[in-house]
């Protein structure tokens, strides 16, 4: 019987001859900020997950699930678009659309085209979409009167204090508790009104030579008080991620076993005495070695890929009554792998994982394997519309990633700057071109 064990060594899923089952356990309610906390320098911090290792566990799950990793990567790229441009909104036209004009400020252009913004922007979207949380950091000049840049802290290493006023950064939660030598703690701005909190700190002279944490960016749809859950966690808890893991394991085993035994060879019992008489050999070992050499050669001729689709000629004797003796019987085993049902289940799991991310499977070419379950998509219209819907639905994550940047601009005196994403959309052939560029 094949048994899949959990991390504690208890059976989770088992399968045998004619039997399949799983171990069911009641759900556990975890009270955030009460049972799962730790202390560092007299400040209480909230654990991320029961073992304080949720980001690392999520990372392992993502790396081990190809469709989940691809879906998350697609969603991050879709949010990132073709970059961000600063504009000024001059008004609205008769249809209510923005009338915008470019801002050709050299300092802003360098920033939004530079490495610093690109690193922050891509990593912020990555962490929000992968882990449900991202942790921006505002870095000030020596005088404390200007924000030099917005950085992003690796979400895997960040933990929030119980009062949400501190952010602890420690890179080795897997091997122990934070120690002073390799731990950094930042003040964190007020979650309700970070700009007011920032101006108050400026007026009181508390920003000099410091960096301060912006309130965590979070998956807006999660109601968790401290660490939001990512969208794909629904597919994990419902079991679809586990199914996506099991199907490849099953197919690998099936193909491996099918390739091991291809032929059934039946040899008459008296063949060896006639072909290799014992009297002709000095000892049994010499006879066995020659038989081994003979059989190895026979197996090579039968299974070698060079002999594929070639004929095999053999001979045997027939007595006066027409009965054959000395005849070898070679029968090809039916090694066909009937995996259609598993492939259909795998396609369903892939689609459910993508649905949890609000990604249309047709955009990633999942229409063909999934058949009717995934919409049987594949046309240009399906892909074009799926991509357009993805860009529309990504507005929340896009704006969230720009919130710390807009705060930086306001703090630095750029009050009239509006940030827009440059997007390229697919168009139909009758429009005269394949793509169109727009600002959102």
């Amino acid at each position: 019987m094949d048994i899949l064990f959990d991390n504690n060594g208890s059976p989770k899923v088992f399968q045998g001859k004619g039997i399949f089952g799983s171990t069911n356990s009641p759900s556990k309610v975890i009270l955030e900020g009460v049972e799962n906390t730790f202390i560092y320098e007299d400040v209480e911090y909230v654990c991320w997950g029961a073992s304080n290792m949720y980001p690392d566990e999520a990372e392992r799950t993502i790396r081990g699930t190809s469709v989940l990793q691809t879906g998350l990567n697609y969603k991050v790229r879709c949010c990132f678009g073709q970059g961000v441009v600063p504009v000024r909104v001059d008004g609205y036209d008769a249809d209510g659309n923005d009338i915008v004009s470019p801002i050709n400020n050299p300092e802003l252009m360098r920033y939004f085209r530079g490495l610093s913004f690109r690193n922050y922007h891509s990593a912020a979207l990555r962490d929000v979409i992968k882990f449900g949380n991202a942790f921006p950091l505002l870095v000030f000049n020596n005088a404390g009167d200007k924000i030099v840049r917005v950085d992003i802290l690796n979400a895997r290493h960040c933990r929030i204090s119980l009062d949400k006023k501190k952010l602890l950064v420690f890179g080795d939660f897997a091997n122990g508790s934070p120690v002073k030598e390799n731990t950094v703690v930042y003040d964190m701005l007020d979650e309700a009104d970070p700009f007011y909190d920032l101006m108050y700190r400026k007026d009181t002279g508390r920003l000099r030579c410091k960096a301060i944490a912006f309130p965590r960016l979070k998956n807006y749809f999660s109601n968790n008080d401290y660490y939001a859950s990512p969208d794909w966690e629904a597919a994990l808890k419902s079991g679809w991620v586990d199914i996506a893991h099991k199907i490849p394991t099953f197919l690998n085993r099936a193909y491996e076993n099918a390739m091991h035994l291809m032929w059934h060879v039946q040899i008459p019992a008296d063949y060896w005495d006639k072909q290799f008489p014992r009297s002709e050999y000095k000892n049994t070992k010499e006879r066995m070695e020659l038989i081994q050499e003979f059989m190895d050669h026979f197996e090579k001729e039968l299974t070698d890929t060079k002999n594929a689709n070639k004929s095999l000629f053999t001979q045997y004797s027939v007595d006066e009554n027409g009965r054959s003796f000395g005849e070898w019987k070679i029968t090809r085993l039916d090694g066909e792998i009937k995996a259609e049902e598993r492939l259909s289940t795998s396609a369903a799991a892939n689609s459910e994982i993508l649905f949890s991310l609000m990604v249309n499977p047709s955009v990633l070419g999942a229409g063909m394997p999934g058949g009717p379950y995934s919409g049987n998509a594949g046309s240009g219209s399906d892909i074009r519309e799926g991509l357009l819907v993805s860009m529309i639905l990504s507005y929340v994550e896009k704006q969230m990633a720009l919130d710390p940047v807009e705060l930086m601009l306001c703090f630095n005196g750029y009050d009239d700057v509006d940030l827009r994403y440059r997007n390229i959309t697919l168009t139909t052939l009758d429009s005269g071109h394949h793509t169109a560029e727009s600002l959102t």
Side-chain angles (χ1 to χ4, degrees):
M1 176 178 288
D2 294 330
I3 303 176
L4 177 66
F5 293 91
D6 61 17
N7 294 334
N8 297 319
S10 300
K12 187 176 181 181
V13 178
F14 52 87
Q15 181 177 3
K17 295 182 179 179
I19 182 174
F20 175 83
S22 60
T23 302
N24 297 323
S25 58
S27 59
K28 298 179 180 179
V29 178
I30 300 174
L31 298 177
E32 293 183 345
V34 177
E35 297 179 359
N36 302 303
T37 61
F38 64 94
I39 304 295
Y40 177 75
E41 293 189 344
D42 299 326
V43 177
E44 192 171 10
Y45 292 87
V46 182
C47 295
W48 195 345
S51 61
N52 203 19
M53 290 293 296
Y54 179 89
D56 293 331
E57 295 166 357
E59 181 72 16
R60 285 193 295 270
T61 299
I62 293 169
R63 288 183 179 181
T65 313
S66 57
V67 66
L68 177 57
Q69 179 164 281
T70 299
L72 291 169
N73 195 347
Y74 163 80
K75 194 167 182 179
V76 172
R77 290 171 181 267
C78 193
C79 289
F80 191 88
Q82 305 300 311
V84 174
V85 294
V87 298
R88 180 180 294 104
V89 179
D90 298 322
Y92 303 92
D93 61 20
D95 296 325
N97 299 314
D98 295 344
I99 300 175
V100 300
S101 58
I103 296 179
N104 296 316
N105 182 296
E107 182 182 16
L108 293 182
M109 297 298 289
R110 281 195 302 270
Y111 176 73
F112 286 107
R113 291 177 177 176
L115 179 64
S116 176
F117 174 74
R118 190 161 55 249
N119 282 345
Y120 159 75
H121 192 207
S122 58
L125 291 170
R126 177 202 66 199
D127 286 352
V128 168
I129 293 172
K130 283 180 68 175
F131 304 128
N133 304 270
F135 299 91
L137 186 71
L138 306 177
V139 181
F140 296 87
N141 62 2
N142 291 336
D145 57 2
K146 182 179 180 179
I147 299 176
V148 178
R149 66 182 183 274
V150 181
D151 284 344
I152 190 72
L153 299 168
N154 192 330
R156 295 174 61 184
H157 306 152
C158 297
R159 300 297 185 268
I160 304 171
S161 65
L162 189 63
D163 58 7
K164 295 186 178 181
K165 294 182 179 181
K166 300 285 185 181
L167 182 67
L168 181 144
V169 183
F170 174 64
D172 198 19
F173 283 105
N175 296 316
S177 301
V179 292
K180 191 171 184 178
E181 290 74 17
N182 55 1
T183 301
V184 179
V185 176
Y186 297 101
D187 289 340
M188 190 159 64
L189 295 175
D190 179 60
E191 194 171 38
D193 194 343
F195 185 73
Y196 176 84
D197 190 5
L198 182 64
M199 297 307 295
Y200 172 78
R201 293 169 185 265
K202 178 184 177 182
D203 294 340
T204 55
R206 297 164 60 190
L207 296 180
R208 190 178 301 273
C209 301
K210 276 200 171 186
I212 192 168
F214 189 87
R216 49 121 192 200
L217 309 180
K218 65 173 185 175
N219 178 11
Y220 85 99
F221 201 65
S222 174
N223 286 92
N224 293 352
D225 292 330
Y226 291 92
Y227 306 104
S229 300
D231 290 330
W232 61 268
E233 190 175 271
L236 176 67
K237 290 188 174 181
S238 61
W240 286 111
V241 173
D242 286 338
I243 292 175
H245 286 169
K246 292 182 179 67
I247 298 299
T249 302
F250 166 83
L251 292 178
N252 284 334
R253 184 179 301 173
Y255 278 108
E256 182 180 357
N257 292 336
M259 294 301 293
H260 281 173
L261 298 176
M262 295 180 61
W263 304 96
H264 180 206
V265 181
Q266 296 173 279
I267 305 174
D270 59 352
Y271 174 82
W272 304 114
D273 290 333
K274 294 180 178 179
Q275 187 68 20
F276 300 92
R278 293 185 176 87
S279 59
E280 296 184 3
Y281 303 96
K282 297 178 182 179
N283 50 53
T284 303
K285 182 179 179 181
E286 181 184 3
R287 181 171 181 263
M288 290 173 59
E289 290 175 352
L290 287 175
I291 293 176
Q292 180 69 51
E293 182 180 347
F294 171 80
M295 292 301 295
D296 289 342
H297 177 74
F298 171 77
E299 181 185 30
K300 180 179 179 181
E301 293 297 317
L302 187 64
T303 61
D304 198 328
T305 56
K306 296 180 180 179
N307 295 328
N309 299 321
K310 291 185 179 181
S311 301
L312 175 66
F313 296 95
T314 63
Q315 61 182 7
Y316 57 91
S317 303
V318 180
D319 61 16
E320 61 275 8
N321 297 320
R323 292 179 300 181
S324 62
F325 59 92
E327 177 187 8
W328 285 34
K329 294 182 179 180
I330 304 175
T331 307
R332 183 180 180 88
L333 296 176
D334 182 11
E336 181 183 359
I337 301 174
K338 300 178 180 179
E340 291 83 1
E341 182 178 349
R342 271 80 177 183
L343 290 174
S344 177
T345 303
S346 177
N350 291 346
S351 295
E352 289 291 343
I353 292 171
L354 293 176
F355 291 157
S356 72
L357 297 172
M358 290 187 290
V359 173
N360 187 333
S362 64
V363 177
L364 301 178
M368 293 295 288
Y373 190 87
S374 62
N376 201 22
S379 69
S381 296
D382 291 324
I383 296 174
R384 184 172 58 254
E385 292 173 6
L387 179 60
L388 180 59
V389 170
S390 294
M391 290 192 295
I392 294 173
L393 294 179
S394 64
Y395 175 81
V396 175
E397 289 88 353
K398 290 178 177 180
Q399 185 57 46
M400 190 183 303
L402 293 181
D403 285 344
V405 180
E406 291 179 343
L407 182 145
M408 176 188 73
L409 294 177
C410 290
F411 185 85
N412 291 344
Y414 295 102
D415 296 325
D416 58 346
V417 176
D418 198 66
L419 302 179
R420 298 297 174 94
Y421 281 86
R422 180 186 287 115
N423 292 308
I424 293 180
T425 58
L426 302 176
T427 61
T428 56
L429 294 178
D430 57 9
S431 64
H433 41 77
H434 299 287
T435 60
E437 188 170 314
S438 62
L439 294 179
T440 58

